[in-house]
Every structure is written in structure tokens, then in C-alpha cells.
DNA sequence: TCTTGACCCTGTAGCAGCTACAGGGTGCAT
DNA sequence: ATGCACCCTGTAGCTGCTACAGGGTCAAGA
């Protein structure tokens, strides 16, 4: 079961450029080549890339993915480190949500305040403009 | 009232490198220079940069900020375009929140499922690994 | 006067995580 | 022989900054 890069991409729903990129940054190891210098992947590569994709889909950074992959190699180890990584990531996600919720509230207020006139008295732009810009002509 | 780049940066809480960057990409216009080739900013620059900063704080992209600045120049125009821009941005923010909420739920489930054993039977890694990887030895 | 130090200048490269070329080579079918 | 799909390398682009390196300017102090 040998896969060329295109087949691997289709199997994992990954752009071939992304696969080569992962190889370049050392996330995937360099596979053997065919006579025509094509990359020849096997089942372990497929598994590894699937793992990567799933972790990415869960929002883990490439560095976190790298760490997860390393941890998963050490089968006897306590999984506390894995848990911590996941918990940290969850905390990050929660922080981002909170930030975005604040943004959403501010934006909603802004939009609600607009009364539908001309740009000259648009409250949205007013809110963005520096306070009391108008020079007392 | 002439400001050198450092003063403008302090006044708007903006990194000087960022100001030069905004100039480079045409978001701020090239200011006149002093004899010593220093940028000399005036009140309009201060206002414009303040506007930019507020819009950025509300999460608008630089392109969106550019559009808002252009719109705000045309005082007689109907503000519908401004509103639409803001609404689009709000929708974007809401989409991101939804995505992150889904992520959060998935991550929480994952973390909750871990029973605290070894890496070999960690449910977190199991969830990431391709289904039924183990070849029937 | 000389020197120190804070500030300023340009130009370039780096960050994440890809994506998109250009300009070639391979391999199979017609 | 020719077309076409696929593969290769290397490099540059995207967002929105940030961080240098390697210089110049200017005011104050010794
Ligand atoms: Zn309106
Ligand atoms: Zn309005
Ligand atoms: Zn655990
Ligand atoms: Zn576990």
C-alpha cells in the first residue's frame, strides 16, 4: 500500500502543498522516493497525518500537535502531560471566546445606535472618530 | 503642533514600527519631513490614527478600516454602507464565536473522558488517532 | 568641544500556517 | 508522438504586525 502525495492528500483531506509544508517543518518525516523521485507514503504516514489533521481541527497549534505526537509515542508514560496540554488549549479557546463576546457586545451597541441618516451624523463613525474633533470654526 | 513619530505613538498607544507599517501600506499618508528627515505629524494624522486604532480594537481588518476611512470622508453619503460593513463584521465575529464554542465543546468532552492512566490508554490521544489503528497482530 | 543618550531613519527578515505560483520532470494512454 | 494528470523544487505571497541591523540627528551635560 503505497500512496503518492496526491492520494495521501485525498485520503486525509489535506492539500498536497500542506503535506510538503509539514515535511519541511519536520512534522512529517521525509518518506522514501520512487524511481521517478515521487514521495511514497505508507500506512504509518497516513495515520500520523490523520492524527495531525484531527488535532488541527480541534484548534491545537502545530507546536502543540508536535508535542502530542511525541507524547503519544511514549506509551508507558502517565497521560497527565497530555491532559495539561489539552486543558491549556481549552483555556485558550475560552479566552478567545470571552474576547470575542466583548467585541460582539461593543459592535452590537454601535450598530444599534445608528439611526440611518448620512455619513455626517453616523453614530458608528462618530464612535470611532476622536472625541470632539470639530474645531469651533 | 508637530509630532514626531514617537510622540504620535505615545498619543495613540501605537508602536512606532506599526505607524511606519501603516504608512508603508498606505493607510496613513506620508507626512512632511523635518530638516533632519524626521516625520512631522499634525492633528489630522493624530485623528486618523486614533480612528484606525479604535476600529482595530473593534476587530475590523485593515481593509475594512481603509473602507471605513474612505466612507467617512464622504459626509453627504447615506450611511448604509457603513452599517453594512459593521454588520458584516459582527456576523464574522459571531461565526468565530460559534466555531470556538463547537471547539470548546469537543475539547471539553475529550478532556472529561480521560481517566488519568497511561498514555497507552489515554482517551484524548485515542480520539485523535485514526480509528482501529492496531493491526490484528 | 566632545560625548553621551534618546530619539529618528531605511531596509530586511521573522512570526503562524498555510497557499500559490513558475518552471521543470514522470508516467500512462491514445 | 503527444497529451494529460500528476509529481518535483524553490520561492514568494497572505495578515498584521514586530524586531532587528546599521546607520543619522539633536539637545544636554562635562
Ligand atoms: Zn445607519
Ligand atoms: Zn450610520
Ligand atoms: Zn488523563
Ligand atoms: Zn489521558
Amino acid at each position: 500500500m503505497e500512496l503518492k502525495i496526491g492520494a495521501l492528500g485525498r485520503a486525509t483531506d489535506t492539500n498536497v502543498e500542506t503535506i510538503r509544508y509539514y515535511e519541511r517543518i519536520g512534522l512529517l518525516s521525509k518518506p522514501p522516493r520512487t524511481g521517478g523521485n515521487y514521495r511514497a507514503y505508507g500506512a504509518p504516514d497516513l495515520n500520523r497525518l490523520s492524527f495531525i489533521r484531527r488535532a488541527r481541527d480541534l484548534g491545537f497549534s502545530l507546536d502543540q500537535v508536535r508535542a502530542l505526537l511525541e507524547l503519544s509515542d511514549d506509551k508507558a508514560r502517565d497521560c497527565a502531560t497530555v491532559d495539561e496540554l489539552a486543558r491549556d488549549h481549552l483555556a485558550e479557546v475560552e479566552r478567545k471566546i470571552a474576547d470575542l463576546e466583548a467585541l460582539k457586545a461593543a459592535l452590537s451597541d454601535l450598530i444599534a445606535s445608528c439611526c440611518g441618516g448620512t455619513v455626517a451624523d453616523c453614530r458608528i463613525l462618530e464612535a470611532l472618530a476622536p472625541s470632539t474633533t470639530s474645531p469651533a470654526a
Side-chain angles (χ1 to χ4, degrees), chain A:
Chain A
M1 199 268 282
E2 301 249 302
L3 294 169
K4 273 181 257 178
I5 198 168
L8 180 63
R10 277 186 298 278
T12 57
D13 197 29
T14 308
N15 197 320
V16 296
E17 320 262 25
T18 303
I19 299 177
R20 283 195 279 252
Y21 169 70
Y22 285 167
E23 179 183 325
R24 209 158 56 241
I25 63 170
L27 200 55
L28 291 176
S29 55
K30 291 176 192 290
R33 301 293 183 114
T34 67
N37 198 31
Y38 289 7
R39 287 170 180 82
Y41 295 102
D45 299 300
L46 179 58
N47 290 342
R48 190 175 172 95
L49 184 51
S50 302
F51 184 105
I52 293 171
R53 295 293 294 174
R54 283 174 212 198
R56 290 290 299 136
D57 282 350
L58 284 167
F60 287 97
S61 73
L62 290 181
D63 268 0
Q64 287 173 327
V65 173
R66 214 186 290 265
L68 285 171
L69 282 164
E70 263 170 44
L71 289 170
S72 71
D73 278 348
D74 195 356
K75 297 294 182 207
R77 171 202 277 265
D78 189 288
C79 77
T81 318
V82 175
D83 295 23
E84 208 197 324
L85 220 157
R87 269 176 228 280
D88 282 358
H89 178 44
L90 177 59
E92 238 174 84
V93 170
E94 282 169 345
R95 241 182 303 116
K96 272 185 200 166
I97 290 174
D99 288 354
L100 287 175
E101 290 286 5
L103 221 62
K104 176 183 159 180
L107 269 175
S108 299
D109 280 5
L110 215 58
I111 290 169
S113 76
C114 175
C115 48
T118 67
V119 158
D121 43 34
C122 177
R123 309 272 255 131
I124 294 177
L125 293 173
E126 226 168 83
L128 291 171
S131 49
T132 57
T133 317
S134 46

mmCIF file of all heavy atoms in Angstrom, chain A residues 78-80 83 87, ligand 3:
data_model
loop_
_atom_site.group_PDB
_atom_site.id
_atom_site.type_symbol
_atom_site.label_atom_id
_atom_site.label_comp_id
_atom_site.label_asym_id
_atom_site.label_seq_id
_atom_site.Cartn_x
_atom_site.Cartn_y
_atom_site.Cartn_z
ATOM 1 N N ASP A 78 2.698 8.474 32.004
ATOM 2 C CA ASP A 78 1.461 8.982 32.576
ATOM 3 C C ASP A 78 0.851 10.013 31.611
ATOM 4 O O ASP A 78 1.573 10.816 31.038
ATOM 5 C CB ASP A 78 1.805 9.661 33.904
ATOM 6 C CG ASP A 78 0.568 10.020 34.682
ATOM 7 O OD1 ASP A 78 -0.114 10.962 34.245
ATOM 8 O OD2 ASP A 78 0.286 9.353 35.684
ATOM 9 N N CYS A 79 -0.449 10.013 31.496
ATOM 10 C CA CYS A 79 -1.031 10.905 30.497
ATOM 11 C C CYS A 79 -1.283 12.306 31.013
ATOM 12 O O CYS A 79 -1.934 13.120 30.358
ATOM 13 C CB CYS A 79 -2.295 10.310 29.898
ATOM 14 S SG CYS A 79 -3.705 10.435 30.974
ATOM 15 N N ALA A 80 -0.781 12.628 32.186
ATOM 16 C CA ALA A 80 -1.014 13.952 32.783
ATOM 17 C C ALA A 80 -0.567 15.078 31.868
ATOM 18 O O ALA A 80 -1.234 16.110 31.763
ATOM 19 C CB ALA A 80 -0.302 14.054 34.123
ATOM 20 N N ASP A 83 -3.079 15.657 29.200
ATOM 21 C CA ASP A 83 -4.245 16.339 29.746
ATOM 22 C C ASP A 83 -3.968 17.822 29.931
ATOM 23 O O ASP A 83 -4.812 18.661 29.627
ATOM 24 C CB ASP A 83 -4.615 15.757 31.109
ATOM 25 C CG ASP A 83 -5.047 14.323 30.991
ATOM 26 O OD1 ASP A 83 -4.659 13.681 30.000
ATOM 27 O OD2 ASP A 83 -5.753 13.846 31.880
ATOM 28 N N ARG A 87 -5.969 20.856 28.376
ATOM 29 C CA ARG A 87 -6.615 21.841 29.260
ATOM 30 C C ARG A 87 -6.122 23.256 28.952
ATOM 31 O O ARG A 87 -6.899 24.212 28.966
ATOM 32 C CB ARG A 87 -6.319 21.504 30.727
ATOM 33 C CG ARG A 87 -7.351 20.600 31.340
ATOM 34 C CD ARG A 87 -6.968 20.213 32.771
ATOM 35 N NE ARG A 87 -7.101 18.785 32.953
ATOM 36 C CZ ARG A 87 -8.271 18.171 33.176
ATOM 37 N NH1 ARG A 87 -9.388 18.886 33.213
ATOM 38 N NH2 ARG A 87 -8.316 16.881 33.338
HETATM 39 ZN ZN1 LIG E 3 -5.567 11.889 31.708
#
